[in-house]
Amino acid sequence: MREWLRVDVRRAALALTASALVALGTWTNTAQAAAATEYSVESAKASRSLLIDAAHAGPRLVVVGDRGHILFSDDQGKTWSQARVPTRQLLTAVFFLDDKRGWAVGHDAQLLATTDGGATWNKQFEDLAREAPLLDVRFIDAQHGFAVGAYGALLETTDGGQHWQDVGERLDNPEQMHLNAITQVKDAGLFIVGEQGSMFRSSDDGLTWTPVQSPYEGSLFGVIGTAQPRTLLAFGLRGNLLRSTDFGDSWHAIEVQTPRGPLEFGLANATLLGDGSLVVVGNGGSVLRSRDDGQTFSLYNRADRLALAGVSGLSNDRLLLVGQGGVHLASAEGADEVQP
């Protein structure tokens, strides 16, 4: 069974698999959508609901997740405000270019945008008939961005999201492997990872894409560029963590040990902290940190063992973690809940 979900918590919480998704219709503009706009329901418990991703909008924190919930915090995660969002669909990823301009993606191939740091959002694009999710979004600059998703979906905009075009034909992906994540690699270009170890890279801002031979045949849920040129990490099922220093020409498997042997929890997301260290999170409350550009990692499993889907750095060597149970504040090693 082909699974498009980046983390097991999504599959468990929503009981959805790719085999249940029906790809019908063609891409449509938001103005052509037949359904009336429904806004996410305001809830005092939104910060404790299922949340999937987190990002910085300048000093502000923004998180996205189930039922169209988008929340923002201006005090390092101590308190949260709920944004007005024109959807009730699961949102899977969020990206900010600066302190004002950001984008979020989710089910029904929805793309949302904000110009006020995440306080309010508008819908730029959706495809209701396709019933397939977008899973990640990345902008090179204010005008040029990409979104990736299920069934090989690759969307591009060159006008800040006013128009989106399906450019999946640029990929050598005949089986339409699900594309789970996209990142920008320093001094190299764009990199995509997905289902069954699929990898693609572009050194010309997405104009052309080349498939990359992967050393792993299982699904990769995330990818991140490090502080070093041409260096990136890809990660996914069963604790698989791969590092390349040459933009994917070669790979080295990073083994993370636990008291019971190699880590086997799925890894979902990662962030680069201000000091250049890397943090990767995943199932079983797993929090991995590397201080040597991803060559080695220390591991901490949180006592609650809740699946983690997203991570972002805070001040004073602290982390914002999101996933099951919503928002969690922790030390940069993942230990000891930090009380507001």
Side-chain angles (χ1 to χ4, degrees), residues 274-287:
D275 64 359
S277 62
L278 290 155
V279 176
V280 183
V281 299
N283 289 351
S286 301
V287 180

Side-chain angles (χ1 to χ4, degrees), residues 57 63 78 90 95 97 106 135 170 185 191 202 218 226 237 239 253 279 287 292 323 327:
V63 298
K78 294 178 182 178
L90 174 72
F95 174 83
L97 188 65
L135 299 174
R170 295 179 188 172
V185 180
F191 206 97
S202 173
T226 78
L237 286 174
V279 176
V287 180
D292 56 9
V327 168

